[in-house]
Tab-separated table of all heavy atoms in Angstrom:
chain	number	residue	atom	x	y	z
A	3	GLU	N	0.866	-1.194	-0.103
A	3	GLU	CA	-0.001	0.015	0.041
A	3	GLU	C	0.844	1.337	0.029
A	3	GLU	O	0.612	2.216	-0.796
A	3	GLU	CB	-0.861	0.030	1.163
A	3	GLU	CG	-2.016	-1.121	1.111
A	3	GLU	CD	-2.865	-1.226	2.458
A	3	GLU	OE1	-2.313	-0.622	3.495
A	3	GLU	OE2	-3.810	-1.741	2.420
A	4	ASP	N	1.893	1.396	0.746
A	4	ASP	CA	2.709	2.571	0.849
A	4	ASP	C	3.451	2.760	-0.420
A	4	ASP	O	3.738	3.966	-0.795
A	4	ASP	CB	3.628	2.487	2.126
A	4	ASP	CG	4.672	1.270	2.023
A	4	ASP	OD1	4.243	0.215	1.494
A	4	ASP	OD2	5.822	1.427	2.269
A	5	ILE	N	3.843	1.716	-0.992
A	5	ILE	CA	4.573	1.864	-2.370
A	5	ILE	C	3.639	2.392	-3.388
A	5	ILE	O	4.037	3.285	-4.142
A	5	ILE	CB	5.231	0.490	-2.768
A	5	ILE	CG1	6.169	-0.043	-1.744
A	5	ILE	CG2	5.849	0.633	-4.112
A	5	ILE	CD1	7.343	0.780	-1.465
A	6	ALA	N	2.429	1.866	-3.454
A	6	ALA	CA	1.440	2.282	-4.450
A	6	ALA	C	1.142	3.756	-4.197
A	6	ALA	O	0.902	4.545	-5.235
A	6	ALA	CB	0.245	1.393	-4.395
A	7	ALA	N	1.013	4.112	-2.950
A	7	ALA	CA	0.636	5.405	-2.688
A	7	ALA	C	1.807	6.502	-3.036
A	7	ALA	O	1.521	7.608	-3.554
A	7	ALA	CB	0.408	5.630	-1.098
A	8	ARG	N	3.088	6.031	-2.819
A	8	ARG	CA	4.112	6.954	-3.269
A	8	ARG	C	4.296	7.035	-4.716
A	8	ARG	O	4.790	8.025	-5.282
A	8	ARG	CB	5.481	6.378	-2.655
A	8	ARG	CG	5.493	6.548	-1.134
A	8	ARG	CD	6.807	6.062	-0.592
A	8	ARG	NE	7.942	6.902	-0.874
A	8	ARG	CZ	9.171	6.567	-0.480
A	8	ARG	NH1	9.396	5.556	0.378
A	8	ARG	NH2	10.251	7.463	-0.932
A	9	ALA	N	3.901	5.857	-5.387
A	9	ALA	CA	4.049	5.822	-6.927
A	9	ALA	C	2.988	6.669	-7.645
A	9	ALA	O	3.147	7.392	-8.425
A	9	ALA	CB	4.023	4.414	-7.405
A	10	LEU	N	1.732	6.560	-7.026
A	10	LEU	CA	0.463	7.195	-7.729
A	10	LEU	C	0.142	8.597	-7.089
A	10	LEU	O	-0.598	9.265	-7.756
A	10	LEU	CB	-0.657	6.217	-7.552
A	10	LEU	CG	-0.530	4.838	-8.242
A	10	LEU	CD1	-1.699	3.895	-7.931
A	10	LEU	CD2	-0.228	5.011	-9.691
A	11	LYS	N	0.614	8.780	-5.871
A	11	LYS	CA	0.368	10.184	-5.221
A	11	LYS	C	-1.106	10.599	-5.294
A	11	LYS	O	-1.329	11.630	-5.785
A	11	LYS	CB	1.247	11.220	-5.778
A	11	LYS	CG	2.761	10.936	-5.762
A	11	LYS	CD	3.612	12.031	-6.387
A	11	LYS	CE	5.070	11.830	-6.158
A	11	LYS	NZ	5.570	10.573	-6.560
A	12	PRO	N	-2.054	9.734	-4.834
A	12	PRO	CA	-3.463	10.271	-4.885
A	12	PRO	C	-3.645	11.165	-3.729
A	12	PRO	O	-2.935	11.211	-2.679
A	12	PRO	CB	-4.234	8.788	-4.588
A	12	PRO	CG	-3.204	8.108	-3.768
A	12	PRO	CD	-1.883	8.436	-4.224
A	13	GLN	N	-4.801	11.879	-3.862
A	13	GLN	CA	-5.318	12.696	-2.700
A	13	GLN	C	-5.706	11.678	-1.524
A	13	GLN	O	-6.451	10.883	-1.809
A	13	GLN	CB	-6.434	13.563	-3.157
A	13	GLN	CG	-6.183	14.630	-4.067
A	13	GLN	CD	-7.474	15.573	-4.470
A	13	GLN	OE1	-8.497	15.487	-3.789
A	13	GLN	NE2	-7.353	16.216	-5.500
A	14	GLY	N	-5.277	11.936	-0.313
A	14	GLY	CA	-5.663	11.099	0.739
A	14	GLY	C	-4.544	10.083	1.090
A	14	GLY	O	-4.522	9.396	2.020
A	15	GLY	N	-3.485	10.041	0.072
A	15	GLY	CA	-2.334	9.070	0.334
A	15	GLY	C	-2.609	7.634	0.483
A	15	GLY	O	-3.588	7.253	-0.047
A	16	VAL	N	-2.042	7.022	1.324
A	16	VAL	CA	-2.154	5.673	1.662
A	16	VAL	C	-3.622	5.227	2.187
A	16	VAL	O	-4.026	4.148	1.889
A	16	VAL	CB	-1.034	5.175	2.584
A	16	VAL	CG1	-1.346	5.502	4.093
A	16	VAL	CG2	-0.978	3.589	2.587
A	17	ASN	N	-4.199	6.141	2.915
A	17	ASN	CA	-5.544	5.988	3.299
A	17	ASN	C	-6.523	5.705	2.197
A	17	ASN	O	-7.383	4.881	2.144
A	17	ASN	CB	-6.062	7.053	4.207
A	17	ASN	CG	-5.390	7.003	5.473
A	17	ASN	OD1	-4.944	5.954	6.066
A	17	ASN	ND2	-5.144	8.162	6.163
A	18	PHE	N	-6.359	6.529	1.105
A	18	PHE	CA	-7.190	6.328	-0.147
A	18	PHE	C	-6.817	5.090	-0.822
A	18	PHE	O	-7.809	4.473	-1.311
A	18	PHE	CB	-6.865	7.581	-1.087
A	18	PHE	CG	-7.679	7.407	-2.344
A	18	PHE	CD1	-9.061	7.714	-2.339
A	18	PHE	CD2	-7.146	7.011	-3.566
A	18	PHE	CE1	-9.840	7.594	-3.529
A	18	PHE	CE2	-7.813	6.939	-4.779
A	18	PHE	CZ	-9.154	7.134	-4.632
A	19	ILE	N	-5.548	4.739	-0.782
A	19	ILE	CA	-5.307	3.381	-1.471
A	19	ILE	C	-5.925	2.244	-0.716
A	19	ILE	O	-6.330	1.273	-1.279
A	19	ILE	CB	-3.751	3.229	-1.419
A	19	ILE	CG1	-3.117	4.229	-2.313
A	19	ILE	CG2	-3.305	1.760	-1.872
A	19	ILE	CD1	-3.343	4.194	-3.766
A	20	ARG	N	-6.113	2.417	0.510
A	20	ARG	CA	-6.657	1.329	1.381
A	20	ARG	C	-8.197	1.263	1.190
A	20	ARG	O	-8.848	0.157	1.586
A	20	ARG	CB	-6.410	1.693	2.891
A	20	ARG	CG	-4.997	1.388	3.290
A	20	ARG	CD	-4.719	1.771	4.638
A	20	ARG	NE	-3.310	1.547	4.915
A	20	ARG	CZ	-2.684	2.143	5.982
A	20	ARG	NH1	-3.190	3.128	6.728
A	20	ARG	NH2	-1.302	1.755	6.242
A	21	THR	N	-8.863	2.234	0.456
A	21	THR	CA	-10.296	2.166	0.116
A	21	THR	C	-10.445	1.048	-0.964
A	21	THR	O	-11.623	0.713	-1.199
A	21	THR	CB	-10.823	3.436	-0.251
A	21	THR	OG1	-10.285	3.944	-1.461
A	21	THR	CG2	-10.678	4.462	0.815
A	22	PHE	N	-9.394	0.697	-1.807
A	22	PHE	CA	-9.554	-0.299	-2.835
A	22	PHE	C	-9.590	-1.690	-2.283
A	22	PHE	O	-8.853	-2.021	-1.454
A	22	PHE	CB	-8.380	-0.219	-3.869
A	22	PHE	CG	-8.466	1.121	-4.674
A	22	PHE	CD1	-8.024	2.224	-4.177
A	22	PHE	CD2	-8.928	1.088	-5.971
A	22	PHE	CE1	-8.049	3.443	-4.858
A	22	PHE	CE2	-8.807	2.130	-6.767
A	22	PHE	CZ	-8.441	3.427	-6.203
A	23	LYS	N	-10.697	-2.457	-2.752
A	23	LYS	CA	-10.884	-3.760	-2.210
A	23	LYS	C	-10.798	-4.812	-3.318
A	23	LYS	O	-11.451	-4.614	-4.495
A	23	LYS	CB	-12.192	-3.934	-1.433
A	23	LYS	CG	-12.428	-2.807	-0.231
A	23	LYS	CD	-11.424	-3.106	0.715
A	23	LYS	CE	-11.483	-2.134	1.962
A	23	LYS	NZ	-10.462	-2.325	2.927
A	24	LYS	N	-10.018	-5.772	-3.194
A	24	LYS	CA	-9.932	-6.807	-4.283
A	24	LYS	C	-11.291	-7.643	-4.329
A	24	LYS	O	-11.585	-8.052	-3.306
A	24	LYS	CB	-8.752	-7.728	-3.951
A	24	LYS	CG	-8.410	-8.722	-5.186
A	24	LYS	CD	-7.141	-9.608	-4.879
A	24	LYS	CE	-6.827	-10.627	-5.836
A	24	LYS	NZ	-6.712	-10.012	-7.163
A	25	GLN	N	-11.768	-7.780	-5.567
A	25	GLN	CA	-12.886	-8.526	-5.819
A	25	GLN	C	-12.685	-9.910	-5.728
A	25	GLN	O	-11.638	-10.445	-6.001
A	25	GLN	CB	-13.517	-8.207	-7.091
A	25	GLN	CG	-13.840	-6.742	-7.234
A	25	GLN	CD	-14.770	-6.155	-6.187
A	25	GLN	OE1	-15.866	-6.715	-6.003
A	25	GLN	NE2	-14.410	-5.013	-5.488
A	26	ALA	N	-13.785	-10.768	-5.398
A	26	ALA	CA	-13.594	-12.170	-5.317
A	26	ALA	C	-13.436	-12.783	-6.659
A	26	ALA	O	-12.778	-13.752	-6.760
A	26	ALA	CB	-14.803	-12.895	-4.535
A	27	GLU	N	-14.024	-12.142	-7.690
A	27	GLU	CA	-14.057	-12.710	-9.044
A	27	GLU	C	-12.888	-12.050	-9.879
A	27	GLU	O	-12.635	-10.785	-9.608
A	27	GLU	CB	-15.419	-12.559	-9.753
A	27	GLU	CG	-16.513	-13.376	-9.105
A	27	GLU	CD	-17.876	-13.277	-9.885
A	27	GLU	OE1	-18.221	-12.040	-10.156
A	27	GLU	OE2	-18.353	-14.178	-10.255
A	28	ASP	N	-12.302	-12.603	-10.785
A	28	ASP	CA	-11.369	-12.095	-11.704
A	28	ASP	C	-11.948	-11.060	-12.506
A	28	ASP	O	-12.894	-11.292	-13.306
A	28	ASP	CB	-10.815	-13.237	-12.587
A	28	ASP	CG	-9.604	-12.702	-13.470
A	28	ASP	OD1	-9.255	-11.527	-13.389
A	28	ASP	OD2	-9.009	-13.439	-14.089
A	29	GLN	N	-11.497	-9.782	-12.458
A	29	GLN	CA	-12.072	-8.699	-13.126
A	29	GLN	C	-11.689	-8.628	-14.603
A	29	GLN	O	-12.129	-7.751	-15.263
A	29	GLN	CB	-11.739	-7.256	-12.444
A	29	GLN	CG	-12.423	-7.234	-11.005
A	29	GLN	CD	-13.945	-7.576	-11.095
A	29	GLN	OE1	-14.604	-6.877	-11.640
A	29	GLN	NE2	-14.256	-8.626	-10.390
A	30	ALA	N	-10.879	-9.613	-15.092
A	30	ALA	CA	-10.485	-9.594	-16.394
A	30	ALA	C	-11.616	-10.004	-17.247
A	30	ALA	O	-11.807	-9.736	-18.556
A	30	ALA	CB	-9.439	-10.525	-16.651
A	31	VAL	N	-12.636	-10.797	-16.673
A	31	VAL	CA	-13.675	-11.196	-17.355
A	31	VAL	C	-15.169	-10.833	-16.861
A	31	VAL	O	-16.146	-11.122	-17.403
A	31	VAL	CB	-13.704	-12.747	-17.514
A	31	VAL	CG1	-12.544	-13.181	-18.389
A	31	VAL	CG2	-13.578	-13.370	-16.153
A	32	ASN	N	-15.062	-10.126	-15.793
A	32	ASN	CA	-16.360	-9.634	-15.100
A	32	ASN	C	-16.421	-8.140	-14.972
A	32	ASN	O	-15.482	-7.497	-14.668
A	32	ASN	CB	-16.444	-10.241	-13.656
A	32	ASN	CG	-16.695	-11.814	-13.737
A	32	ASN	OD1	-17.670	-12.340	-14.117
A	32	ASN	ND2	-15.602	-12.563	-13.302
A	33	LEU	N	-17.656	-7.624	-15.185
A	33	LEU	CA	-17.921	-6.289	-15.107
A	33	LEU	C	-18.753	-5.997	-13.865
A	33	LEU	O	-19.615	-6.849	-13.458
A	33	LEU	CB	-18.479	-5.658	-16.335
A	33	LEU	CG	-17.652	-5.579	-17.558
A	33	LEU	CD1	-18.531	-5.269	-18.708
A	33	LEU	CD2	-16.557	-4.837	-17.408
A	34	PRO	N	-18.605	-4.872	-13.155
A	34	PRO	CA	-19.407	-4.550	-12.019
A	34	PRO	C	-20.910	-4.370	-12.319
A	34	PRO	O	-21.176	-3.840	-13.385
A	34	PRO	CB	-18.755	-3.346	-11.356
A	34	PRO	CG	-18.155	-2.668	-12.513
A	34	PRO	CD	-17.685	-3.727	-13.268
A	35	PRO	N	-21.811	-4.759	-11.506
A	35	PRO	CA	-23.303	-4.615	-11.727
A	35	PRO	C	-23.672	-3.224	-11.819
A	35	PRO	O	-24.624	-2.865	-12.483
A	35	PRO	CB	-23.966	-5.438	-10.666
A	35	PRO	CG	-22.905	-5.428	-9.554
A	35	PRO	CD	-21.660	-5.488	-10.236
A	36	ASN	N	-22.970	-2.305	-11.231
A	36	ASN	CA	-23.294	-0.780	-11.164
A	36	ASN	C	-22.314	-0.119	-12.106
A	36	ASN	O	-22.033	1.162	-11.826
A	36	ASN	CB	-23.257	-0.311	-9.777
A	36	ASN	CG	-21.825	-0.482	-9.162
A	36	ASN	OD1	-21.069	-1.327	-9.545
A	36	ASN	ND2	-21.517	0.305	-8.133
A	37	LEU	N	-22.030	-0.586	-13.291
A	37	LEU	CA	-21.222	-0.054	-14.258
A	37	LEU	C	-21.588	1.415	-14.562
A	37	LEU	O	-20.697	2.344	-14.798
A	37	LEU	CB	-20.974	-0.994	-15.492
A	37	LEU	CG	-19.972	-0.483	-16.491
A	37	LEU	CD1	-18.607	-0.393	-16.145
A	37	LEU	CD2	-20.217	-1.381	-17.711
A	38	ASP	N	-22.901	1.703	-14.894
A	38	ASP	CA	-23.383	2.865	-15.293
A	38	ASP	C	-23.141	3.879	-14.213
A	38	ASP	O	-22.903	5.188	-14.546
A	38	ASP	CB	-24.864	2.834	-15.682
A	38	ASP	CG	-25.118	2.024	-16.910
A	38	ASP	OD1	-24.191	1.839	-17.743
A	38	ASP	OD2	-26.287	1.430	-17.052
A	39	GLU	N	-23.236	3.526	-12.982
A	39	GLU	CA	-22.937	4.481	-11.914
A	39	GLU	C	-21.524	4.743	-11.732
A	39	GLU	O	-21.160	5.924	-11.300
A	39	GLU	CB	-23.552	3.766	-10.569
A	39	GLU	CG	-23.156	4.581	-9.273
A	39	GLU	CD	-23.504	3.780	-8.064
A	39	GLU	OE1	-24.421	2.812	-8.162
A	39	GLU	OE2	-22.951	4.094	-7.058
A	40	LEU	N	-20.583	3.827	-11.985
A	40	LEU	CA	-19.124	3.977	-11.849
A	40	LEU	C	-18.510	4.860	-12.909
A	40	LEU	O	-17.662	5.717	-12.702
A	40	LEU	CB	-18.466	2.737	-11.648
A	40	LEU	CG	-18.861	1.796	-10.438
A	40	LEU	CD1	-18.152	0.498	-10.525
A	40	LEU	CD2	-18.582	2.618	-9.232
């Protein structure tokens, strides 16, 4: 997390990086049900 935060430099730093959650399904072949919202 700290490496990604230093590389991408998002607002909120490492705390923002921690808001990302890995999905149970492989996202290479699945799209989120709320795609229009995102």
